[in-house]
């Protein structure tokens, strides 16, 4: 989710882009570190929107969110668990979600694509991987058990409350998704010059 400090004069993504164009380099965006998903999402938006927001990397979400809440940075690209409670408490303003569709956790907040930038799609995702060469029968069984766990009401409720969307795709679908993510983000890393510490 792209979230703003309440005094930022932008109520949506278009207004943020206009502000960044009017003040090149003066709008700062926090992330949990160099080459992190939040950093690369900000760089992707910079490239596609033709703006220059200044990246402020932190070593983790705690200090980044604290500085966003304190107004030391204007916006932040973050996962839902870091900022959702502050958004719901009215301490932060959501400008856009970065997924392909609206999130059930913030159904009223439009996606970046809905606001004119369909190329900016970024989600934090989690998956389970096994070593290459793991027998297909083991992978199939492990996948089946994990999907059962994800469908348990208490697990689903807990993950939903944190803003997670449960997918449970097949191993083949997940493998194809990982490959597409590598191709997409490789271009952003090269264009931004981002290097992990």
């Amino acid at each position: 989710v792209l979230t703003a400090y309440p005094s930022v004069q932008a109520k949506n993504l278009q207004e943020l882009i206009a502000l960044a164009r009017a003040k090149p380099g003066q709008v700062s965006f926090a992330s949990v570190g160099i080459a992190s998903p939040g950093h690369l999402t900000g760089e992707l938006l910079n490239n596609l929107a033709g703006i220059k927001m200044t990246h402020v990397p932190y070593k983790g979400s705690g200090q980044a969110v604290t500085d966003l809440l304190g107004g030391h940075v204007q916006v932040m690209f973050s996962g839902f668990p870091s900022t959702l409670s502050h958004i719901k408490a009215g301490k932060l303003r959501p400008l856009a979600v970065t997924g392909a569709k609206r999130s059930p956790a913030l159904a009223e907040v439009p996606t970046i694509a809905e606001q004119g930038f369909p190329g900016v799609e970024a989600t934090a995702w989690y998956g389970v991987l096994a070593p290459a060469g793991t027998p297909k029968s083991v992978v199939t069984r492990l996948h089946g058990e994990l999907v059962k766990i994800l469908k348990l009401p208490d697990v689903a409720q807990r993950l939903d409350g944190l803003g997670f969307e449960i997918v449970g795709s097949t191993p083949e679908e997940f493998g194809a998704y990982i490959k597409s993510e590598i191709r997409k983000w490789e271009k952003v890393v090269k264009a931004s010059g981002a290097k992990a510490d």
Side-chain angles (χ1 to χ4, degrees):
V1 62
L2 171 58
T3 309
Y5 180 68
S7 70
V8 172
Q9 296 176 338
K11 304 285 189 255
N12 56 48
L13 180 63
Q14 294 295 344
E15 290 179 9
L16 177 67
I17 289 170
L19 181 64
R21 284 187 179 140
K23 299 179 178 186
Q26 293 181 40
V27 174
S28 59
F29 73 95
S31 80
V32 299
I34 295 171
S36 68
H39 174 206
L40 297 180
T41 304
E43 296 297 349
L44 181 58
L45 182 60
N46 273 340
N47 292 338
L48 292 177
I51 58 175
K52 183 57 188 155
M53 294 187 295
T54 299
H55 176 233
V56 181
Y58 290 86
K59 292 186 186 255
S61 63
Q63 189 60 51
V65 172
T66 298
D67 277 7
L68 179 62
L69 288 165
H72 302 291
V73 289
Q74 284 88 20
V75 298
M76 180 176 177
F77 292 90
S78 69
F80 280 94
S82 300
T83 54
L84 188 58
S85 64
H86 301 297
I87 291 168
K88 294 202 180 243
K91 295 177 183 176
L92 295 174
R93 179 186 314 121
L95 301 180
V97 293
T98 61
K101 59 184 181 178
R102 291 188 184 204
S103 168
L106 292 172
E108 70 284 0
V109 180
T111 66
I112 288 179
E114 286 179 278
Q115 296 183 68
F117 293 92
V120 181
E121 183 184 315
T123 56
W125 51 265
Y126 302 90
V128 177
L129 303 172
T134 300
K136 175 104 171 120
S137 61
V138 173
V139 171
T140 301
R141 173 138 189 231
L142 181 60
H143 172 261
E145 293 300 319
L146 288 168
V147 169
K148 283 182 197 173
I149 292 167
L150 290 172
K151 289 182 177 180
L152 292 172
D154 57 332
V155 172
Q157 181 181 14
R158 176 76 173 135
L159 292 174
D160 185 52
L162 292 170
F164 289 100
E165 184 179 337
I166 298 170
V167 176
S169 58
T170 68
E172 295 76 22
E173 290 167 335
F174 187 44
Y177 180 73
I178 290 171
K179 288 176 184 171
S180 72
E181 286 285 277
I182 290 169
R183 285 190 301 273
K184 176 170 93 177
W185 294 110
E186 180 179 42
K187 294 174 188 173
V188 178
V189 169
K190 286 180 180 173
S192 71
K195 295 189 186 326
D197 285 340

